[in-house]
């Protein structure tokens, strides 16, 4: 296994890695809407937060030599399922035309009380 560290993503705020490359897969830790330059949560509703999450996911994937087109599975955690439609529109545009397998759930509480967190598993064949 190889630890992936992404300098362009927010620093890990706990005892975890940005990602782990194991065999042909890269398992990425969940990304929240933290601005990597400030370390602070992006303000606003689900839309700016989802855009920041995707910027962070892309940074972690890039550090592993991958893109969103290499993602096989994603898990989306929402603070409120009422945000699904707005998040989903950004999600679809970010991955287009790719459509990885996905699970979306409403979580009781997310880190820093953010509105969205996304984790991905990518294939590095």
């Amino acid at each position: 296994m190889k630890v992936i560290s992404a300098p362009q993503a927010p620093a890990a705020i706990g005892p975890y890695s940005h990602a782990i490359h194991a065999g042909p897969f890269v398992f990425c830790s969940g990304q929240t809407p933290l601005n990597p330059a400030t370390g602070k949560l992006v303000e606003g509703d689900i839309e700016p937060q989802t855009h920041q999450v995707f910027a962070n996911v892309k940074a972690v994937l890039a550090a592993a030599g991958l893109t969103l087109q290499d993602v096989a599975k994603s898990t989306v955690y929402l603070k409120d399922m009422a945000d699904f439609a707005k998040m989903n529109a950004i999600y679809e545009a970010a991955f287009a035309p790719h459509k990885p397998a996905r699970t979306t759930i409403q979580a009781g509480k997310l880190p820093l009380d953010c509105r969205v967190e996304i984790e991905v598993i990518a294939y590095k064949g």
Side-chain angles (χ1 to χ4, degrees):
M1 290 190 299
K2 178 182 175 189
V3 173
I4 305 295
S5 181
Q8 301 302 317
I13 56 173
Y16 62 89
S17 302
H18 282 128
I20 296 289
H21 182 189
F25 296 100
V26 175
F27 299 88
C28 299
S29 294
Q31 291 296 307
T32 58
L34 290 177
N35 178 318
T38 66
K40 300 209 183 283
L41 188 67
V42 169
E43 295 184 17
D45 66 7
I46 190 68
E47 293 170 311
Q49 289 200 6
T50 303
H51 284 295
Q52 184 64 56
V53 166
F54 271 106
N56 296 344
V57 168
K58 288 177 188 178
V60 172
L61 289 170
L66 299 168
T67 70
L68 289 174
Q69 300 305 299
D70 298 303
V71 171
K73 169 78 168 77
S74 69
T75 305
V76 178
Y77 302 93
L78 292 173
K79 178 179 178 178
D80 186 345
M81 203 55 118
D83 287 334
F84 180 83
K86 289 181 179 179
M87 177 283 301
N88 197 51
I90 296 163
Y91 179 100
E92 183 176 22
F95 277 110
H98 184 52
K99 294 181 180 178
R102 178 178 76 184
T103 301
T104 303
I105 62 169
Q106 179 172 311
K109 186 165 174 99
L110 294 170
L112 303 173
D113 205 29
C114 67
R115 302 200 65 78
V116 59
E117 179 174 357
I118 300 176
E119 67 180 28
V120 300
I121 300 170
Y123 179 73
K124 188 169 187 172

